[in-house]
Amino acid sequence: DLVSVRDAESEGFLKSFGIAASLVPDPAFLCRKEPADGLPGIAGMEKDYFVICPRPYKDNSYLAPLRKAVSVYAEKTASTPLLVPMFGSEDMLIPGIAAADPDTGFAGQKGLIAGARLLIGVRLHSMIFAASENVPFVSVSYDPKTESFARANGITPLDINALQTETLLYEMQNARAASGKPDTDKLFAFAERIGEL
């Protein structure tokens, strides 16, 4: 009876098949945040840090150029990399750098991202948290949903299948925040329509 999508590209795709859909922001934009300094395992974290939110993908070969770019960026900016696993221990993919507790909930994850100077996101919701907190981010894209979200926010998505250290490093050094905030009132309006069914 009702169909919603998170981005204009998906809306256009469904429209090409004659399917009407409501363009509604992802509910994660409404997620509250927990202050990072109150999270376990984060005590003593340097104030100037950047966050990496990876995910498993095929043979994980994309992690090699990612690790190199993280190392170079950390040295050049004198900032600290922090791994924030969005999907528990399955995302603990970069040994040797500081990492948040894999059991940190969404509010804690959002708090950590909110305090960062930069996010390198593979997980879609890490990018949503960055966009909602005006944190510059780089999108390493593995799926149309992450590509669409990045483009909708004025960010060039990087193909995870062809990730290069130099390209990633360039995007990290020139990262910017999302180009605009979504109209979250549409979420409540859509919820009301669901309630009327």
Side-chain angles (χ1 to χ4, degrees):
D1 294 314
L2 290 175
V3 178
S4 69
V5 292
R6 296 181 288 200
D7 60 79
E9 291 180 22
S10 296
E11 181 184 32
F13 179 75
L14 290 182
K15 189 176 181 181
S16 72
F17 290 97
I19 300 170
S22 297
L23 180 58
V24 180
D26 191 293
F29 275 102
L30 298 178
C31 181
R32 67 179 183 84
K33 67 182 176 189
E34 183 178 340
D37 58 8
L39 296 171
I42 306 302
M45 186 70 192
E46 293 182 22
K47 287 187 178 180
D48 191 8
Y49 66 94
F50 62 102
V51 167
I52 308 101
C53 292
R55 61 154 289 150
Y57 181 78
K58 295 183 179 178
D59 64 358
N60 287 333
S61 57
Y62 83 95
L63 291 171
L66 174 61
R67 274 194 201 100
K68 179 65 175 171
V70 164
S71 176
V72 172
Y73 182 85
E75 185 176 346
K76 283 189 173 184
T77 61
S79 58
T80 303
L82 175 67
L83 175 69
V84 176
M86 300 287 290
F87 210 77
S89 57
E90 125 175 10
D91 286 355
M92 295 290 282
L93 296 169
I94 310 176
I97 68 170
D101 187 324
D103 294 326
T104 300
F106 288 140
Q109 293 167 354
K110 188 173 186 179
L112 288 169
I113 291 169
R117 62 152 43 214
L118 167 74
L119 166 81
I120 306 165
V122 184
R123 291 281 187 192
L124 172 64
H125 287 90
S126 70
M127 293 179 253
I128 290 174
F129 287 167
S132 67
E133 295 295 325
N134 292 316
V135 173
F137 69 92
V138 176
S139 169
V140 178
S141 180
Y142 73 98
D143 188 87
K145 67 183 178 183
T146 48
E147 289 179 22
S148 296
F149 182 79
R151 282 195 290 263
N153 284 281
I155 309 296
T156 301
L158 301 178
D159 183 357
I160 197 170
N161 296 296
L163 192 63
Q164 299 290 323
T165 297
E166 296 77 13
T167 306
L168 176 55
L169 192 55
Y170 174 84
E171 293 297 331
M172 291 167 69
Q173 292 168 333
N174 294 281
R176 57 190 183 281
S179 56
K181 290 288 181 79
D183 182 359
T184 50
D185 286 344
K186 287 183 177 180
L187 281 168
F188 298 108
F190 190 75
E192 286 175 3
R193 289 173 62 197
I194 292 172
E196 291 167 1
L197 290 178

